[in-house]
Amino acid sequence: MIRSCDMRVMKNGLQDVIKMLEDTPLFEGEVESYIKVVDQSEAFETKLNIDVSVLSDLSKEFSDGTSLQLDKLMKKYNAMCKSAEPESSMSDVFDRLRSRQPEALESGGTGSGTNVEGGGDEMRVLEVVKSHRDPLGGGQIKDPVKSKHCGHVYDRTTLLEYIEGNRARKAMFYQCPYSLCTNKRNMNMNDMIDCPEFLNS
């Protein structure tokens, strides 16, 4: 059972995830993982809708002041959730996300680097794909800066706009826009370093 204040936070978080999915470049080989995130987001949104509907019905049912013990109320709530008709109010948004076509990696202007972290069972290999196209603005990267955490490169101006815009609307998530990036920190200009050599790659 979700409180209304928590519901607002989760809906805002869902909007942030959708925005991140829309802005993230989608490359060949990443479609399966991308679609999985879209499916999970839609399932989460559907569960939120069910909760809102059930809580509304419960409040109407007990509007006369009738009270129930907490365990009985929870049983009734769970039963109503199971029988509720699942429905997404944003199906058009998720359909649009699923219809995106992946981009091919350009062989002439791209390359790859591998950064290995940890050791033994904890070893993680991070594939860093270099592209001269800015993942945020879509144009050519003119003033490159690189993340100290994941090695991805962005254009300084569009990255700053991305960070300031998300902070202004108090977004919960504004992480690296590259698909499957393992860096889960919110973007911060303090985590960036100048990368002039990128223009010569």
Side-chain angles (χ1 to χ4, degrees):
M1 189 178 296
I2 305 173
R3 298 178 301 173
S4 59
C5 58
D6 296 328
M7 180 71 71
R8 286 193 296 271
V9 170
M10 284 187 277
K11 284 190 173 182
N12 288 338
L14 179 63
Q15 289 293 338
D16 291 339
V17 171
I18 291 173
K19 181 72 166 58
M20 191 162 54
L21 286 169
E22 290 174 335
D23 294 343
T24 298
L26 180 61
F27 296 109
E28 294 175 346
E30 300 175 347
V31 176
E32 183 177 349
S33 298
Y34 170 83
I35 293 298
K36 183 178 180 180
V37 175
V38 174
D39 291 342
Q40 290 173 338
S41 299
E42 184 172 30
F44 180 70
E45 192 261 342
T46 300
K47 288 181 180 179
L48 289 181
N49 289 341
I50 289 176
D51 200 83
V52 169
S53 175
V54 169
L55 289 178
S56 176
D57 291 342
L58 278 174
S59 64
K60 292 176 182 177
E61 186 171 338
F62 298 107
S63 59
D64 59 354
T66 304
S67 60
L68 286 177
Q69 291 182 343
L70 182 59
D71 59 336
K72 292 183 179 180
L73 179 62
M74 289 304 299
K75 285 181 181 179
K76 188 172 185 63
Y77 164 80
N78 290 329
M80 291 176 69
C81 284
K82 288 181 180 179
S83 62
E85 189 70 28
E87 182 177 347
S88 171
S89 60
M90 301 174 64
S91 56
D92 56 331
V93 174
F94 294 113
D95 287 343
R96 186 177 71 249
L97 289 172
R98 291 190 184 93
S99 67
R100 289 182 61 192
Q101 296 300 311
E103 303 173 26
L105 293 176
E106 300 174 5
S107 57
T110 61
S112 63
T114 303
N115 177 26
V116 181
E117 297 183 357
D121 294 336
E122 299 300 321
M123 181 176 290
R124 294 186 296 121
V125 179
L126 309 181
E127 292 294 335
V128 179
V129 178
K130 293 181 180 178
S131 171
H132 285 259
R133 191 173 74 86
D134 178 32
L136 294 169
Q140 291 293 306
I141 294 177
K142 298 177 180 178
D143 185 6
V145 290
K146 179 171 67 174
S147 169
K148 294 186 291 187
H149 300 297
C150 63
H152 285 129
V153 179
Y154 326 88
D155 184 81
R156 187 190 307 272
T157 300
T158 52
L159 176 60
L160 185 59
E161 291 174 353
Y162 174 70
I163 293 173
E164 291 180 344
N166 278 286
R167 286 178 177 172
R169 63 189 184 91
K170 298 181 179 179
M172 293 178 64
F173 307 106
Y174 43 100
Q175 302 161 342
C176 178
Y178 282 93
S179 299
L180 305 183
C181 180
T182 58
N183 176 26
K184 301 306 179 185
R185 299 174 177 84
N186 280 340
M187 304 291 276
N188 191 318
M189 292 304 295
N190 292 332
D191 295 332
M192 303 297 149
I193 56 177
D194 292 340
C195 188
E197 65 275 12
F198 177 81
L199 297 176
N200 299 321
S201 62

